[in-house]
């Protein structure tokens, strides 16, 4: 029944490793997002896809690569992890634009050792 | 560009106290305005929204009125409960922004019994 689900919930890994976070939404939405939330709760949009097409690509290191195999899935792959990548990553989805709210997953807490 | 400014936290209140969290915005045109809430360990969820001037959004005892003359969208609740302890985010979305929400920095609220 979960609307936006992310896996894994926790990810602990070492610097230099490559990791992926998966996101799936069962709401039938056409747009999905990745956000990064730092320890001060500041939210930063990273990417957004609409019907599998990239529409928002903020200033993010190119070690981060999103992939949307279909409009219900948006995965995030991170290469060569760095200490500064430690954060909570949220996936979200929405239908259409304008006033439609975004629905968030519960987040993936990434800790780099 | 568009921006959202909300009062800094943390805000600490006793149960049944009155809550106001200030939010002002800068935007061209007629943005839609939102309040999201993030409970500990969870993702963000929409609390309320307003899509045009003088609209009042309300949910779970919270209210906010879209004031175009003062470019504000302050969040209020008459009597807070311990369960309202969370981080509250004000946000806006504007036409032509590629469905990108512009976020405030968040205000942490702690309600003591």
């Amino acid at each position: 029944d979960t609307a936006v689900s992310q896996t894994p919930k926790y990810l602990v890994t070492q610097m230099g490793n490559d990791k992926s976070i998966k996101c799936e939404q069962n709401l039938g939405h056409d747009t999905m997002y990745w956000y990064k939330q730092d320890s001060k709760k500041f939210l930063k949009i990273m990417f957004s896809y609409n019907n599998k097409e990239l529409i928002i690509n903020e200033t993010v290191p190119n070690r981060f690569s999103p992939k949307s195999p279909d409009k219900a899935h948006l995965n995030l792959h991170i290469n060569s992890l760095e200490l500064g990548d430690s954060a909570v990553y949220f996936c979200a989805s929405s239908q259409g634009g304008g006033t439609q709210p975004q629905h968030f997953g519960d987040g993936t807490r990434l800790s780099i050792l | 560009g568009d921006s959202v400014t909300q009062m800094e936290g943390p805000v600490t209140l006793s149960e049944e106290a009155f809550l106001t969290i200030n939010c002002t915005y800068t935007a061209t045109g007629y943005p839609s305005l939102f309040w999201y809430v993030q409970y500990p360990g969870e993702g963000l969820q929409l609390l309320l929204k307003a899509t045009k001037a003088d609209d009042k959004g309300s949910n779970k005892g919270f209210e906010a009125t879209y004031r175009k003359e003062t470019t504000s969208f302050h969040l209020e609740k008459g009597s807070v409960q311990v369960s309202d302890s969370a981080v509250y985010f004000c946000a806006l979305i504007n036409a032509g922004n590629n469905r990108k929400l512009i976020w405030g920095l968040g205000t942490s609220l702690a309600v003591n019994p």
Side-chain angles (χ1 to χ4, degrees), chain A:
Chain A
D1 287 324
T2 305
V4 180
S5 59
Q6 305 178 218
T7 54
K9 191 170 174 66
Y10 300 96
L11 191 47
V12 181
T13 189
Q14 295 197 325
M15 259 194 330
N17 285 349
D18 303 338
K19 290 292 177 188
S20 291
I21 307 172
K22 296 187 175 183
C23 179
E24 175 182 5
Q25 55 95 3
N26 63 6
L27 297 167
H29 289 167
D30 62 0
T31 306
M32 296 184 72
Y33 311 80
W34 276 112
Y35 286 91
K36 179 180 180 181
Q37 186 176 47
D38 65 20
S39 57
K40 295 185 178 178
K41 303 294 186 182
F42 177 64
L43 270 172
K44 176 181 164 61
I45 180 76
M46 300 173 72
F47 304 103
S48 174
Y49 273 74
N50 173 246
N51 284 319
K52 302 197 307 175
E53 182 183 341
L54 183 66
I55 58 169
I56 295 175
N57 186 1
E58 293 291 284
T59 307
V60 174
N62 58 15
R63 299 181 294 103
F64 290 80
S65 53
K67 280 194 173 51
S68 182
D70 56 60
K71 70 177 191 177
H73 295 84
L74 180 61
N75 303 323
L76 182 66
H77 188 76
I78 315 169
N79 287 328
S80 303
L81 281 157
E82 299 178 358
L83 287 175
D85 297 333
S86 294
V88 182
Y89 292 84
F90 286 102
C91 177
S93 72
S94 69
Q95 178 58 32
T99 64
Q100 296 308 309
Q102 293 181 16
H103 295 253
F104 283 75
D106 284 339
T108 296
R109 184 175 293 277
L110 174 62
S111 299
I112 310 300
L113 304 177

Side-chain angles (χ1 to χ4, degrees), chain B residues 43-103:
Chain B
L44 284 77
Q45 52 186 278
L46 179 69
L47 182 59
L48 52 85
K49 70 177 186 181
T51 58
K52 60 184 188 297
D54 300 325
D55 264 4
K56 179 188 278 188
S58 61
N59 186 22
K60 298 182 183 180
F62 291 89
E63 291 183 341
T65 301
Y66 188 151
R67 300 279 187 211
K68 191 152 178 69
E69 64 276 13
T70 53
T71 63
S72 65
F73 193 54
H74 304 322
L75 183 68
E76 296 182 337
K77 186 174 186 184
S79 175
V80 293
Q81 306 300 311
V82 171
S83 57
D84 294 325
S85 299
V87 181
Y88 292 82
F89 293 89
C90 185
L92 71 82
I93 195 163
N94 217 343
N97 261 1
N98 263 339
R99 308 170 191 222
K100 182 172 148 181
L101 270 169
I102 307 298
W103 296 91

